[in-house]
Amino acid sequence: MRDLGAGFRYLMKGQRWVARHGKQYGFGLVPGLITLVLYAAALVALALWGEDAVTWATPFADDWSSPWLGLFRGFLTAVLFALALLLAVVTFTAVTLLVGQPFYENLSEKVDRDVSPDGHAPESGLPLWRELWISARDSLRIVVRAALWGVLLFACGFIPVVGQTAVPVLGFFVTGFFLTEELTAVALQRRGVDLRTRLTLLRSRKTLVWGFGTPLAVAFLVPLVAVFLMPGAVAGATLMARELLGEEIREGGEDVEGAVTAVPRPPSGSPSPGR
């Protein structure tokens, strides 16, 4: 439970950090707004033409009698839109981070310098195109994992009682895990930590990750909220990445009062969403 609270505090510390650095916050809003417009356009198009797409994909049902034809295609249209919404929530962070790679790299570096005892921020030394390629490749791998979990949870949603109670809660924890992976990747990738190692670090502190990512997953259900929380989420994830790696956080530094360093714990043997 201590880690759960610590994860949430890192989320809040990140929001406070950007609130005190207005210029960084303003720049950090731009990628989220661009992504929001693109996603909104895609969802509107799906709402307008989703039924036509379902009709085209189910010609075998053309001769079904009423009301079965309408019920069948209406159900498929609703499922299609629900899956699109789930995919939008899961991929919003990945796409926003990809669109805003230079913005968020700069923000994360400034957070590192602000809280580092020597004022130093680790640098990858890679050209921008190489960083973008690694980020896109790793994001695609995470999206595939998240999509598989999404399909599994959607199927479990049809189980009576459990599907309407436990499954939605589990869905938020799974989404929170993947959101945290994407956000901490900004700082960890800059340190040369590959995807496999990142997942190992996150699995070793699952309650810390859930404390950070699960409230964020709930908040990200509201698209505008996601846009305004993204800069602070990147800042908070940078602070948390330092703890995951056991890096010292400057005592008395902005928004990190009382923070302690931690040496990564060995990963537990229990299954986790990243596997």
Side-chain angles (χ1 to χ4, degrees):
M1 291 300 294
R2 181 181 179 182
D3 262 2
L4 201 65
F8 184 73
R9 284 194 295 274
Y10 276 119
L11 179 59
M12 293 296 99
K13 288 170 184 176
Q15 301 303 324
R16 289 198 297 270
W17 192 94
V18 294
R20 296 180 182 180
H21 297 76
K23 185 177 180 181
Q24 294 300 316
Y25 181 66
F27 281 127
L29 291 177
V30 175
L33 290 171
I34 293 173
T35 308
L36 177 64
V37 171
L38 294 175
Y39 273 55
L43 289 173
V44 168
L46 185 61
L48 292 174
W49 294 294
E51 187 175 354
D52 293 337
V54 169
T55 300
W56 172 81
T58 57
F60 58 85
D62 288 341
D63 298 328
W64 289 13
S65 61
S66 180
W68 305 115
L69 175 60
L71 289 173
F72 175 69
R73 286 179 171 166
F75 173 75
L76 289 183
T77 302
V79 169
L80 178 64
F81 195 77
L83 286 175
L85 282 175
L86 176 63
L87 189 62
V89 172
V90 170
T91 62
F92 183 87
T93 301
V95 175
T96 302
L97 290 174
L98 187 61
V99 171
Q101 180 82 6
F103 295 93
Y104 295 133
E105 283 286 348
N106 182 263
L107 189 156
S108 179
E109 285 183 19
K110 288 186 181 302
V111 173
D112 266 325
R113 291 194 183 97
D114 190 42
V115 303
S116 175
D118 60 2
H120 173 72
E123 297 180 2
S124 67
L126 298 174
L128 179 60
W129 70 267
R130 179 65 177 170
E131 290 184 351
L132 288 173
W133 163 249
I134 294 173
S135 179
R137 181 196 63 193
D138 290 350
S139 293
L140 180 59
R141 292 174 178 175
I142 291 299
V143 167
V144 170
R145 284 179 167 91
L148 291 174
W149 272 89
V151 171
L152 176 62
L153 291 172
F154 184 81
C156 291
F158 292 98
I159 301 174
V161 182
V162 175
Q164 292 74 50
T165 54
V167 171
V169 174
L170 180 59
F172 282 120
F173 278 94
V174 171
T175 303
F177 181 92
F178 288 118
L179 282 178
T180 304
E181 194 289 324
E182 289 288 354
L183 290 164
T184 53
V186 177
L188 294 176
Q189 183 180 310
R190 186 157 38 85
R191 290 162 165 82
V193 182
D194 60 25
L195 177 60
R196 184 182 296 275
T197 306
R198 293 202 301 267
L199 289 173
T200 299
L201 284 171
L202 295 175
R203 291 174 191 140
S204 71
R205 302 288 298 277
K206 288 191 288 291
T207 51
L208 179 71
V209 170
W210 288 331
F212 182 91
T214 304
L216 202 59
V218 175
F220 273 24
L221 289 177
V222 184
L224 282 176
V225 172
V227 172
F228 289 107
L229 290 183
M230 271 296 292
V234 172
T238 301
L239 295 173
M240 194 170 73
R242 295 183 69 90
E243 175 168 338
L244 288 169
L245 293 175
E247 296 179 359
E248 186 178 356
I249 296 177
R250 180 168 58 88
E251 292 295 334
E254 270 193 302
D255 294 320
V256 291
E257 296 81 20
V260 295
T261 58
V263 178
R265 304 171 187 170
S268 61
S270 57
S272 67
R275 291 186 188 268

